[in-house]
Amino acid sequence: MNKVRQLLSDLQNTDSATRNHATHELWQIWYREAGKLAEHQLDQGTRLMGENLLNEAKKVFQSLIKNYPDFAEAYNKLATLLFMKGEYAESIFECERALKLNPHHFGALNGMGMCLFQLARYDEALASFQMALKIQPYADINREYVARCRGLLN
């Protein structure tokens, strides 16, 4: 866990190479945290999602969640898929489940913000993007959406 804390700290670094390395390493840790079989299934679901075979990918992610209920990345991937399908409320639910398991999951915070934005729940979206920025302060996408939310709330 010491390594994760260091990587989270590195996300705050002014050096972009350090931040990029930390981001990549965190994703690797999150992908692998449930073991090789789960990682293989996650890759399979992600590949299906990339091929726009969303129903098949959804089955893979739901199976992963059933078999590995503490695997935050499975919930995050399901949330991403639901976002792609325009099922924003369902995606938010899955983001919340991922965040209960991994409160530092900047991807789930960003995804939840994107869903809330799509639902015109700008105050909640703003809060989600701001939480993501506390973890990843140099993430331009979150800063952009903070500004968009503020503009729509004023």
Side-chain angles (χ1 to χ4, degrees), residues 38-126:
E39 182 184 358
H40 174 73
Q41 290 173 320
L42 192 68
D43 288 342
Q44 178 188 14
T46 303
R47 182 182 48 74
L48 290 167
M49 201 166 55
E51 294 170 4
N52 209 33
L53 298 170
L54 301 183
N55 291 331
E56 292 87 344
K58 185 176 182 179
K59 289 176 188 170
V60 171
F61 297 138
Q62 288 173 329
S63 174
L64 261 172
I65 288 167
K66 180 180 176 190
N67 294 322
Y68 303 92
D70 295 329
F71 188 20
E73 194 54 35
Y75 296 99
N76 185 56
K77 283 294 184 200
L78 179 56
T80 302
L81 181 144
L82 293 167
F83 177 85
M84 291 172 67
K85 292 180 76 171
E87 296 175 15
Y88 304 121
E90 295 85 350
S91 180
I92 291 167
F93 177 75
E94 299 303 335
C95 288
E96 289 170 339
R97 292 173 75 182
L99 288 163
K100 282 181 186 169
L101 295 167
N102 180 354
H104 303 290
H105 200 302
F106 49 80
L109 284 166
N110 172 271
M112 187 162 59
M114 298 294 282
C115 291
L116 291 162
F117 188 87
Q118 291 297 321
L119 294 171
R121 292 165 53 185
Y122 304 121
D123 54 340
E124 295 169 84
L126 175 61

Side-chain angles (χ1 to χ4, degrees), residues 7 33-34 36 63 70 75 83 89 97 111 133 144-145 154:
L7 291 169
E33 71 182 352
K36 284 280 184 203
S63 174
D70 295 329
Y75 296 99
F83 177 85
R97 292 173 75 182
L133 278 172
E144 176 187 325
Y145 272 92
N154 292 329

Side-chain angles (χ1 to χ4, degrees), residues 8-13 19 99 103-111 113 124-150:
L8 289 167
S9 177
D10 287 349
L11 294 176
Q12 313 281 321
N13 197 298
R19 291 191 313 268
L99 288 163
H104 303 290
H105 200 302
F106 49 80
L109 284 166
N110 172 271
E124 295 169 84
L126 175 61
S128 189
F129 291 123
Q130 288 173 326
M131 285 189 286
L133 278 172
K134 284 182 182 177
I135 299 166
Q136 220 181 11
Y138 294 93
D140 291 335
I141 188 72
N142 292 322
R143 282 194 271 169
E144 176 187 325
Y145 272 92
V146 163
R148 289 173 99 181
C149 290
R150 286 184 175 147

